[in-house]
Amino acid sequence: MGEIEGTDIEGLKRGTELVKRGFAQMQKGGVIMDVVDAEQARIAEDAGAVAVMALESVPADIRKRGGVARMAPVETNEEILEEVSIPAMGKVRIGHEAEARILESIGMDMIDESEVLTPADEKNHIDKRDFDTPFVCGARDLGEALRRIDEGAAMIRTKGEAGTGDVAEAVRHQKAIKGGIRKIQGMNTEERRNYAREIEAPLPLVEETAELGRLPVVNFAAGGIATPADAALMMRLGCDGIFVGSGIFGAEDPESMGRAIVEAVNSYDDPAALAEISRNVGGGMKGRSKESLSEEEQLQYRGN
Amino acid sequence: MLAGVVGVQGDVSEHQAAFRRAGEELGLGVETVAVRSSGTVPDCDVVALPGGESTTISSLIRREGIDDEIREHVGAGKPILATCAGLIVLGRNDDSRVDSLGLLDVTVERNAFGRQRESFEAPLEVEGLDEGFHAVFIRAPVVSEVGEGVEVLAEFDGDPVAVRQENVVGTAFHPELTDDYRIHELLLRGQDD
């Protein structure tokens, strides 16, 4: 069936908050895998990924190469988009509205305004409400998460420390988000108002989050997840799903590792199943600890 | 009454909440469970296959042995609701990437409206509901062929988007994403008869 003529159908609305947040809800319980070309995208889809994230090189390689990291070439995004039947997402630099418009124009399903790339604007993030395409953004704590949601993000992911294979920062960020929510649940209206001012997010969003007891959008884990056990750990911390960057195609056997991480996300609370899943997946990515990086080398401090 | 939502991937908690609210509306005590492994579906009075990615869901339910339990559930005439990806998994399709169950006699076309930017919300008339239903379509499929014994409950732009075959109800849209639980009520009512 062809594209619908919007004008022929009364009451049809695209790009609404419901439609954008709903897209993110459909990704829950899933694994979104970083891929750099169509071949990797095919492997990811066959391994059971719920979506692929197109980028020029995985975060571990971005680190090695240095220099300015930008949106992947349009051809790379398109090649990946055309290869898979699952959603294809693309990364743009923080604050780079023009890159985001390009990805929206070629039809990428979601845009990641990502600290893994070199920020284009030190102070401001993209006004994401203005887009029909949903966005995902990274956060290190509740304040950052709520600022991004206020700007229109339909999904939040932990920043973690991408490209390290060290899950510690993702754990820290998820616990900070959850701890922040517990904190505002214990506050009265006056305290919540002060807190909202402090984190520069609107009070109604703080109230809504406190009432729900969770972020009002889907909350994924990202940054340093390298093994099935890492994925299970993040699910146990209350994440809705997992992004894996260098952890799949940096592993010895990407296909087995991809499939094992998908299964681990489903069986995260079943230790015997996790043990079985973790057998014969080969070596994980080499990785380096966050402690071995200087502050300038760390990506999580990009964006605000 | 126990409502099981196949929980290997997708918007599972939304379906659980919808069943609970529909139960309250009907004055039925409904408990819900997310089904992520085998052994639970046989205890369920009603089951839902949620929205998500049909490629992932079909592969995980087979790995976990939930697929055969769904076959038995439907074979026993118990009600099941399949939305979006769930409809793709429950019906038939020509895509080798999805291992569908063929328990609903329809052919389903994946991503029939296009990609996410073509996703939309729109009012819909649904057979069996006295007022219109606000439907959310996300990278939605449509039913391209309807078998005998399948009733079309709703159409959008000429294509079937909600169907029923005895106690099996399938929708291309997401009744679990809005505050209108009438489609979940239909399923619970079927069980009450």
Side-chain angles (χ1 to χ4, degrees), chain A residues 16 25-26 85 105 109 266, chain B residues 9 14 36 110 115 121:
Chain A
T16 61
Q25 284 166 279
M26 297 312 140
S85 66
S105 146
D109 293 296
N266 181 51
Chain B
Q9 194 272 317
E14 290 80 352
R36 290 190 280 119
R110 293 179 70 200
R115 295 201 156 258
E121 45 183 296

Side-chain angles (χ1 to χ4, degrees), chain B residues 16-49:
Chain B
Q16 289 181 268
F19 273 129
R20 281 195 297 271
R21 296 283 295 273
E24 283 166 22
E25 200 63 41
L26 296 173
L28 300 169
V30 175
E31 284 184 40
T32 67
V33 58
V35 179
R36 290 190 280 119
S37 54
S38 60
T40 308
V41 169
D43 296 332
C44 295
D45 301 295
V46 52
V47 168
L49 261 170

Side-chain angles (χ1 to χ4, degrees), chain A residues 56-117:
Chain A
E56 192 171 19
S57 44
V58 293
D61 294 335
I62 292 177
R63 279 188 187 290
K64 275 186 218 145
R65 199 187 53 196
V68 176
R70 309 182 182 93
M71 176 185 88
V74 170
E75 296 87 336
T76 305
N77 278 288
E78 281 177 334
E79 162 189 338
I80 291 164
L81 189 66
E82 278 156 28
E83 180 64 25
V84 291
S85 66
I86 55 176
M89 308 176 175
K91 279 184 193 291
V92 303
R93 285 177 267 179
I94 290 173
H96 207 311
E97 191 185 335
E99 284 186 346
R101 287 293 175 199
I102 289 169
L103 290 192
E104 176 166 71
S105 146
I106 64 170
M108 297 305 277
D109 293 296
M110 185 174 235
I111 298 169
D112 185 356
E113 187 181 18
S114 177
E115 70 283 357
V116 168
L117 307 183

Side-chain angles (χ1 to χ4, degrees), chain A residues 266-297:
Chain A
N266 181 51
S267 300
Y268 70 91
D269 55 356
D270 181 344
L274 285 177
E276 199 50 48
I277 288 164
S278 302
R279 260 184 245 279
N280 302 319
V281 290
M285 66 177 284
K286 184 158 176 295
R288 57 185 291 190
S289 78
K290 180 234 174 188
E291 268 61 46
S292 69
L293 302 171
S294 70
E295 190 146 324
E296 289 78 57
E297 285 178 297

Side-chain angles (χ1 to χ4, degrees), chain A residues 3-257:
Chain A
E3 198 172 315
I4 339 159
E5 296 295 327
T7 48
D8 289 344
I9 294 154
E10 214 177 315
L12 179 147
K13 285 186 223 143
R14 294 197 182 92
T16 61
E17 194 171 86
L18 183 60
V19 166
K20 290 193 281 187
R21 289 186 178 186
F23 169 80
Q25 284 166 279
M26 297 312 140
Q27 300 285 302
K28 290 199 303 178
V31 180
I32 300 170
M33 302 183 190
D34 276 1
V35 299
V36 300
D37 56 30
E39 193 194 339
Q40 288 190 354
R42 167 109 316 280
I43 293 170
E45 182 169 35
D46 289 345
V50 288
V52 290
M53 176 71 71
L55 65 177
E56 192 171 19
S57 44
V58 293
D61 294 335
I62 292 177
R63 279 188 187 290
K64 275 186 218 145
R65 199 187 53 196
V68 176
R70 309 182 182 93
M71 176 185 88
V74 170
E75 296 87 336
T76 305
N77 278 288
E78 281 177 334
E79 162 189 338
I80 291 164
L81 189 66
E82 278 156 28
E83 180 64 25
V84 291
S85 66
I86 55 176
M89 308 176 175
K91 279 184 193 291
V92 303
R93 285 177 267 179
I94 290 173
H96 207 311
E97 191 185 335
E99 284 186 346
R101 287 293 175 199
I102 289 169
L103 290 192
E104 176 166 71
S105 146
I106 64 170
M108 297 305 277
D109 293 296
M110 185 174 235
I111 298 169
D112 185 356
E113 187 181 18
S114 177
E115 70 283 357
V116 168
L117 307 183
T118 310
D121 187 329
E122 295 287 336
K123 289 223 161 58
N124 305 293
H125 285 247
I126 297 168
D127 178 6
K128 294 168 274 288
R129 292 193 183 280
D130 209 29
F131 283 74
D132 284 350
T133 305
F135 276 75
V136 52
C137 288
R140 278 166 303 164
D141 54 32
L142 181 60
E144 206 173 358
L146 295 184
R147 287 193 291 279
R148 298 294 87 79
I149 294 168
D150 183 40
E151 293 156 2
M155 182 196 267
I156 293 296
R157 54 169 176 76
T158 59
K159 281 183 170 174
E161 192 51 50
T164 58
D166 181 354
V167 78
E169 292 306 294
V171 169
R172 186 200 310 275
H173 299 160
Q174 183 61 18
K175 287 194 169 173
I177 291 170
K178 300 268 283 189
I181 294 171
R182 277 194 298 275
K183 200 170 100 185
I184 58 172
Q185 284 182 307
M187 289 180 182
N188 64 23
T189 308
E190 189 187 349
E191 289 165 337
R192 283 181 188 169
R193 189 176 294 119
N194 285 334
Y195 177 77
R197 279 197 202 111
E198 192 186 303
I199 65 164
E200 295 175 47
L203 179 60
L205 190 53
V206 172
E207 301 270 9
E208 185 189 359
T209 304
E211 267 159 47
L212 289 170
R214 56 156 296 143
L215 293 178
V217 301
V218 167
N219 175 190
F220 267 49
I225 294 154
T227 66
D230 286 348
L233 175 66
M234 296 312 297
M235 294 303 286
R236 292 171 75 100
L237 293 176
C239 290
D240 293 314
I242 305 287
F243 282 90
V244 189
S246 326
I248 307 263
F249 291 98
E252 277 174 11
D253 178 354
E255 206 156 349
S256 301
M257 184 61 85

